[in-house]
């Protein structure tokens, strides 16, 4: 029997936190990526620098050279990346951002989602001098401390979305929102804002103006997992971030992560990350 195809989950594959809802990452490879199954957890802009990219979605496909970049809606797609013949490298500056960040942007600038229309999950755009300068600034941010990135990245996302809205019109934003019904948009805002707050599912359902059973059903439909598993993963990733950036010990974070005792936290951490908190911290110190 053929081996089961590997699914790349992005940005989880890069092992960084999406705390704050927006993150940039410099990606580089010396080999081609054959058509692979990709699950984008968040909307993504791939600012292609070297090589070529091909994307296949449920009802559309695109290809681009390194004189273009692409906006990709969260969801499933097939991706092929080929290295540059001249440079023998594939390079891309990636910008990930959550639905909640996108909805905050629309609300702040009083943009009605219903006025935006586009069914395509991909939007290919040409570079211009402004965008190239923007990408250079992201490259600089990629090497800066996490705490600085968390402060700056929301403003950088707003900058590029405003610029593209003016240059491209609203269709590219409509493509990102195409699969979100109004009720789901509100659920995403409530859930992601409260992901680290200790609210019960009943309380979250109330804030979403839903019954508990409807909330669970819509949550499963959008996040492809149960609320308990999703919130547990969010708390564990936040605990890992605090241990990495603030050098906190597991005994200092397990209660805030929602665990009654240290041993239960260690077991859950190992199941999620594949290593104990001590091993995780030792690995971080080795870099």
């Amino acid at each position: 029997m053929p081996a089961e195809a590997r699914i790349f989950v992005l940005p989880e594959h890069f092992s960084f936190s999406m705390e704050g809802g927006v993150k940039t990452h410099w990606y580089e490879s010396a080999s081609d990526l054959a058509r692979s199954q990709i699950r984008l957890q968040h909307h993504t802009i791939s600012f292609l620098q070297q090589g070529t990219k091909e994307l296949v979605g449920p009802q559309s496909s695109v290809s681009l050279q390194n004189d273009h970049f692409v906006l990709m809606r969260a969801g499933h797609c097939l991706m092929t990346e080929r290295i540059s013949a001249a440079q023998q490298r594939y390079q891309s500056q990636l910008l990930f951002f959550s639905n909640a960040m996108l909805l905050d942007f629309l609300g702040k600038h009083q943009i009605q989602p219903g006025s935006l229309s586009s069914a395509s999950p991909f939007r290919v755009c040409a570079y211009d001098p402004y965008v190239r300068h923007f990408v250079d600034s992201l490259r600089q941010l990629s090497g800066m401390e996490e705490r600085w990135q968390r402060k700056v990245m929301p403003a950088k996302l707003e900058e590029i979305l405003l610029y593209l809205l003016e240059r491209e019109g609203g269709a590219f934003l409509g493509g990102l929102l195409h699969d979100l019904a109004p009720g789901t948009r509100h659920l995403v805002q409530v859930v992601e804002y409260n992901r680290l707050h200790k609210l019960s599912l009943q309380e979250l359902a109330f804030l979403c103006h839903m019954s508990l059973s409807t909330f669970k059903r819509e949550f499963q439909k959008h996040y492809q997992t149960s609320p308990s598993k999703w919130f547990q993963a969010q708390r564990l990733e936040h605990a890992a971030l605090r241990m990495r950036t603030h050098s906190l010990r597991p005994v200092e974070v397990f209660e805030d992560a929602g665990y009654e005792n240290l041993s239960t936290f260690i077991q859950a951490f190992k199941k999620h990350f594949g290593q104990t908190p001590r091993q995780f911290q030792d690995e971080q110190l080795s870099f």
Side-chain angles (χ1 to χ4, degrees):
M1 294 180 63
E4 184 177 352
R6 181 182 180 187
I7 299 176
F8 291 91
V9 182
L10 303 180
E12 179 181 291
H13 178 72
F14 298 124
S15 301
F16 57 69
S17 169
M18 278 292 293
E19 182 178 8
V22 57
K23 177 75 175 182
T24 189
H25 178 73
W26 173 255
Y27 173 71
E28 186 171 13
S29 176
S31 59
D32 292 339
L33 177 70
R35 192 165 70 187
S36 298
Q37 298 178 27
I38 306 295
R39 179 159 69 87
L40 291 174
Q41 297 171 302
H42 300 285
H43 304 310
T44 307
I45 308 179
S46 177
F47 294 102
L48 188 58
Q49 301 292 286
Q50 294 289 343
T52 62
K53 180 190 288 287
E54 298 173 5
L55 296 165
V56 178
Q59 296 177 318
S60 62
S61 61
V62 298
S63 60
L64 62 152
Q65 307 289 325
N66 62 2
D67 55 351
H68 285 73
F69 59 98
V70 61
L71 293 89
M72 301 178 284
R73 185 170 70 213
H76 292 196
C77 67
L78 303 177
M79 183 184 297
T80 298
E81 297 172 343
R82 295 191 175 91
I83 63 175
S84 163
Q87 302 292 331
Q88 292 296 301
R89 309 293 292 179
Y90 177 91
Q91 297 177 330
S92 181
Q93 185 74 44
L94 300 171
L95 179 61
F96 301 99
F97 57 100
S98 67
N99 270 321
M101 292 296 291
L102 178 58
L103 294 170
D104 285 347
F105 172 82
L106 296 178
K108 179 178 179 179
H109 296 284
Q110 299 182 333
I111 302 169
Q112 294 298 319
S115 67
L116 309 173
S117 60
S118 173
S120 176
F122 314 123
R123 176 79 174 195
V124 176
C125 303
Y127 278 108
D128 64 16
Y130 188 94
V131 175
R132 290 194 182 280
H133 179 76
F134 176 82
V135 177
D136 288 341
S137 70
L138 290 186
R139 181 73 186 275
Q140 295 297 317
L141 278 169
S142 295
M144 293 184 177
E145 292 183 15
E146 188 77 27
R147 62 183 180 84
W148 178 247
Q149 286 196 41
R150 288 199 303 272
K151 293 179 179 179
V152 175
M153 285 309 303
K156 297 300 292 182
L157 175 65
E158 183 176 19
E159 175 189 347
I160 193 62
L161 291 183
L162 282 173
Y163 181 74
L164 292 177
L165 187 64
E166 178 68 25
R167 200 189 82 169
E168 303 287 330
F172 82 98
L173 288 176
L176 297 180
L177 288 166
H178 178 71
D179 60 345
L180 282 182
T184 304
R185 294 189 190 114
H186 184 56
L187 180 145
V188 168
Q189 286 180 311
V190 171
V191 165
E192 298 199 13
Y193 177 78
N194 292 290
R195 70 189 188 283
L196 300 177
H197 298 168
K198 296 177 182 179
L199 301 184
S200 68
L201 295 186
Q202 187 68 57
E203 290 169 328
L204 289 167
F206 174 78
L207 293 176
C208 291
H209 304 277
M210 295 177 177
S211 68
L212 181 58
S213 60
T214 299
F215 174 81
K216 289 180 178 178
R217 183 176 64 251
E218 293 301 315
F219 190 102
Q220 178 76 38
K221 185 189 301 183
H222 180 73
Y223 288 100
Q224 299 296 303
T225 189
S226 68
S228 60
K229 290 182 179 179
W230 189 86
F231 280 107
Q232 181 186 51
Q234 296 299 307
R235 291 193 298 266
L236 288 170
E237 289 173 8
H238 182 65
L241 178 67
R242 294 181 68 204
M243 288 191 295
R244 183 173 68 243
T245 57
H246 301 293
S247 300
L248 297 178
R249 297 175 298 162
V251 71
E252 297 175 285
V253 300
F254 79 87
E255 288 185 324
D256 283 344
Y259 293 88
E260 294 183 357
N261 57 69
L262 181 59
S263 61
T264 305
F265 170 73
I266 292 174
Q267 291 173 8
F269 192 99
K270 185 175 181 179
K271 183 177 180 180
H272 183 73
F273 290 100
Q275 55 186 177
T276 66
R278 173 62 63 85
Q279 291 170 332
F280 173 83
Q281 288 189 306
D282 289 345
E283 183 179 274
Q284 297 301 313
L285 291 173
S286 68
F287 287 104

